[in-house]
Amino acid sequence: MFLVGAFIAVGSLCAQSTDAEWQAEVAKLKETIQTNPAQAAEEAEHLIKGKNKKNVELLVAIGNTYLDADKLPEAQEYATLARKANGKSALASVLEGNIAMKQKNAGLASQKYEEAIYFDPKCTEAYLKYADVYKSANASLAIEKLNQLKALEPSNTAVDKKLAEIYYLKNDFSKAAEAYANFAMGPTATEEDLVKYAFALFLNHDFEKSLEVANMGLQKNAHHAAFNRLAMYNYTDLKRFDEAIKAADIFFNECEKADYSYLDYMYYGHLLESLKKYDDAVIQYEKAVKMDPTKTDLYKNISSAYEQKNDYKKAISAYQKYYASLDKEKQTPDLQFQVGRLYYGAGTQPDSLTITVEERKQALMSADSVFHAIAEAAPDSYLGNFWRARANSALDPETTQGLAKPFYEEVAALLESKNDPHYNSALVECYSYLGYYYLLAIENPALKAEAKANKDKSIEYWNKILAIDPANATAKRALDGIK
């Protein structure tokens, strides 16, 4: 087999003969080109004298050797000689294509590789080089050409490797994983192939298989950064947090040449948050957003971590940073809703040591203000007024002022008109408040003249609950008490 220059890496190549004598001489020529160009030229000319004057393989080998040394004029000279020796040589066409690629002339290069395939349909290198030309510009063309070669050479792992590379580049991780599976676990695979295979599986959400491949890599190199990174990612996604934290410790503290990304800190943050180490999680999320300031979604994670430790002030502040980072058209009511929900959480949190009565009131009023804006922006949705009702109910915990009454009434009317069982839970909440409100009104001396009407109203709402949920104990007790 011919083993010189650009042909070394591709295995089964274009049809060619072998000649050990000139192969050895061409191998020496590579070094001489760099150290003594004039001597190299003489040696090359000497090689092609006599019987080798029309030896296409030799001429192409010398041309590729010059090309590898970035000596394009000399490479072109030997390509021309090869073409003169055999006008239909696939090898000469490949060399011309290689030269065109060095000259960044992709159009000519692809034409030359196509020409090589025409002259020799089994010219493996031409298929692979053609795929290289188009792998970024037109992946479909590259894949089509590689599949043609795959049909000719089903066991050629170089084809699978190139297909995997292209699918990976175009973010088709399912197909990339399939291609990697054909060779990445075998003897021809490099460590980088194994890493990319594991990443393709991970990105395709096959966490178990990705972890298996990563652990194979770790058996060979326990402190390999990429394999430890993937172990941390996969263990986290699989919710195997004890193993994930061990992998994270090795990744961040023991691996050499670990080039950290925002994703590393983000995953570490997710892991720590899952372990309820909220302050540590925030530190990692902040590192992530500092590394990539465009990832403002991370402020939502920071907000979530603070919320889970009942630090609503910081949770609200972080969420507002996220909201403010968005373009106006992306500041939608559903995102506003989350701000209102955080204010509501602050106003209803059970820990009275972290918030004063006045702060609680202010938080609930802020929640009401946000939900009011949502109700106006999305009048067909019940959520704005539903949460206004909740906020006002919290502002009037004894239900003496009936602050939530108009909002629960409005929500009940809207949901009744929809006649959809999905809203039954919300309706039960509305009816419960209204039934209780009128129950209290029966005993209110100031409303003595309206006692019967209030009694009837209360009974009406409790019966509405039983129509939805016949076993509702609260409604049954209320009705028993009224009777």
Side-chain angles (χ1 to χ4, degrees):
M1 186 180 291
F2 186 24
L3 300 174
V4 179
F7 300 117
I8 291 174
V10 296
S12 173
L13 298 166
C14 311
Q16 53 195 277
S17 62
T18 60
D19 188 323
E21 291 180 11
W22 62 254
Q23 284 180 10
E25 292 300 318
V26 172
K28 293 177 185 176
L29 187 65
K30 188 171 184 179
E31 184 177 340
T32 313
I33 287 172
Q34 300 293 350
T35 57
N36 192 333
Q39 181 184 336
E42 288 180 15
E43 290 176 0
E45 287 180 15
H46 178 74
L47 274 172
I48 62 172
K49 286 183 179 178
K51 65 178 182 178
N52 283 328
K53 190 172 184 180
K54 292 191 176 181
N55 185 332
V56 174
E57 290 93 337
L58 172 57
L59 292 166
V60 168
I62 295 171
N64 271 308
T65 304
Y66 272 112
L67 186 62
D68 289 342
D70 289 326
K71 307 288 185 182
L72 267 66
E74 292 86 348
Q76 185 63 64
E77 177 187 342
Y78 281 92
T80 301
L81 291 173
R83 178 62 65 207
K84 285 181 180 178
N86 182 352
K88 294 184 178 180
S89 166
L91 290 174
S93 297
V94 169
L95 174 56
E96 290 168 338
N98 293 345
I99 292 168
M101 281 299 287
K102 279 276 188 179
Q103 295 170 329
K104 302 189 185 306
N105 189 340
L108 178 59
S110 64
Q111 178 186 327
K112 288 297 179 181
Y113 297 138
E114 286 269 37
E115 183 179 86
I117 293 167
Y118 176 77
F119 291 144
D120 179 5
K122 294 184 178 180
C123 186
T124 302
E125 186 186 13
Y127 289 92
L128 296 173
K129 290 294 182 69
Y130 181 94
D132 274 332
V133 172
Y134 285 109
K135 64 185 178 184
S136 297
N138 192 331
S140 297
L141 274 179
I143 291 166
E144 180 185 352
K145 193 62 69 178
L146 288 169
N147 282 331
Q148 290 173 13
L149 179 57
K150 183 75 174 171
L152 295 170
E153 301 179 17
S155 61
N156 189 339
T157 57
V159 186
D160 294 310
K161 189 166 185 172
K162 190 64 67 179
L163 279 168
E165 177 189 347
I166 293 169
Y167 282 126
Y168 196 94
L169 282 172
K170 69 191 293 277
N171 295 331
D172 189 340
F173 300 115
S174 176
K175 291 279 182 67
E178 286 178 21
Y180 277 119
N182 290 329
F183 74 94
M185 310 292 266
T188 63
T190 64
E191 190 172 64
E192 183 182 356
D193 292 329
L194 205 61
V195 169
K196 285 190 173 179
Y197 180 33
F199 257 115
L201 289 164
F202 167 75
L203 293 167
N204 198 41
H205 293 179
D206 190 348
F207 304 127
E208 290 282 5
K209 184 65 177 177
S210 177
L211 180 60
E212 178 188 333
V213 176
N215 280 334
M216 277 187 61
L218 289 172
Q219 287 173 9
K220 299 175 183 178
N221 184 350
H223 292 91
H224 191 285
F227 291 129
N228 277 292
R229 168 187 283 122
L230 280 162
M232 177 181 73
Y233 288 5
N234 285 305
Y235 280 130
T236 300
D237 281 323
L238 291 167
K239 302 188 186 307
R240 293 165 61 176
F241 301 127
D242 289 343
E243 291 157 297
I245 202 70
K246 290 176 185 175
D249 184 57
I250 295 171
F251 176 57
F252 284 106
N253 299 311
E254 298 181 25
C255 290
E256 296 179 3
K257 300 178 181 178
D259 187 13
Y260 301 129
S261 71
Y262 89 91
L263 202 61
D264 297 330
Y265 295 120
M266 185 191 80
Y267 255 89
Y268 196 20
H270 290 339
L271 171 58
L272 292 166
E273 188 176 354
S274 298
L275 292 169
K276 300 184 178 180
K277 297 181 178 181
Y278 301 121
D279 289 329
D280 292 337
V282 166
I283 290 170
Q284 299 308 317
Y285 289 140
E286 286 176 341
K287 285 182 182 178
V289 78
K290 183 177 181 181
M291 179 163 278
D292 188 347
T294 68
K295 305 298 182 183
T296 56
D297 273 12
L298 290 166
Y299 286 121
K300 288 195 293 184
N301 298 103
I302 294 171
S303 177
S304 171
Y306 279 129
E307 181 185 3
Q308 290 179 85
K309 60 175 296 214
N310 291 324
D311 191 339
Y312 282 96
K313 286 181 182 177
K314 289 181 179 177
I316 292 166
S317 175
Y319 200 90
Q320 286 176 330
K321 280 185 182 178
Y322 163 67
Y323 188 80
S325 74
L326 301 173
D327 296 333
K328 275 289 182 186
E329 62 271 16
K330 293 182 179 179
Q331 293 178 345
T332 53
D334 60 310
L335 298 182
Q336 282 183 299
F337 175 82
Q338 175 64 4
V339 178
R341 197 188 64 77
L342 286 169
Y343 277 122
Y344 177 80
T348 56
Q349 62 179 295
D351 187 357
S352 59
L353 297 177
T354 61
I355 186 168
T356 66
V357 172
E358 184 56 32
E359 287 173 333
R360 193 184 295 275
K361 181 180 177 182
Q362 287 300 319
L364 290 169
M365 289 174 68
S366 294
D368 178 63
S369 177
V370 172
F371 296 135
H372 183 196
I374 292 170
E376 289 190 334
D380 293 334
S381 170
Y382 78 97
L383 286 173
N385 280 319
F386 188 65
W387 279 84
R388 283 198 83 184
R390 287 180 167 178
N392 279 278
S393 179
L395 282 165
D396 177 24
E398 302 300 324
T399 321
T400 55
Q401 301 174 67
L403 297 182
K405 178 176 176 288
F407 307 114
Y408 274 127
E409 286 176 333
E410 191 167 340
V411 171
L414 176 63
L415 296 186
E416 285 169 352
S417 70
K418 292 181 182 293
N419 193 27
D420 186 338
H422 287 104
Y423 299 116
N424 281 351
S425 177
L427 276 171
V428 167
E429 182 175 329
C430 294
Y431 297 152
S432 295
Y433 177 91
L434 293 168
Y436 184 66
Y437 170 81
Y438 283 111
L439 182 62
L440 291 180
I442 298 170
E443 306 298 329
N444 189 337
L447 300 174
K448 191 173 182 180
E450 302 167 29
K452 185 178 184 311
N454 289 332
K455 179 180 177 181
D456 291 343
K457 274 286 188 182
S458 184
I459 291 171
E460 176 189 345
Y461 283 117
W462 296 122
N463 279 325
K464 282 186 175 185
I465 291 174
L466 292 176
I468 294 171
D469 177 14
N472 190 286
T474 302
K476 286 182 177 180
R477 283 196 304 271
L479 287 170
D480 287 343
I482 294 172
K483 293 171 184 177

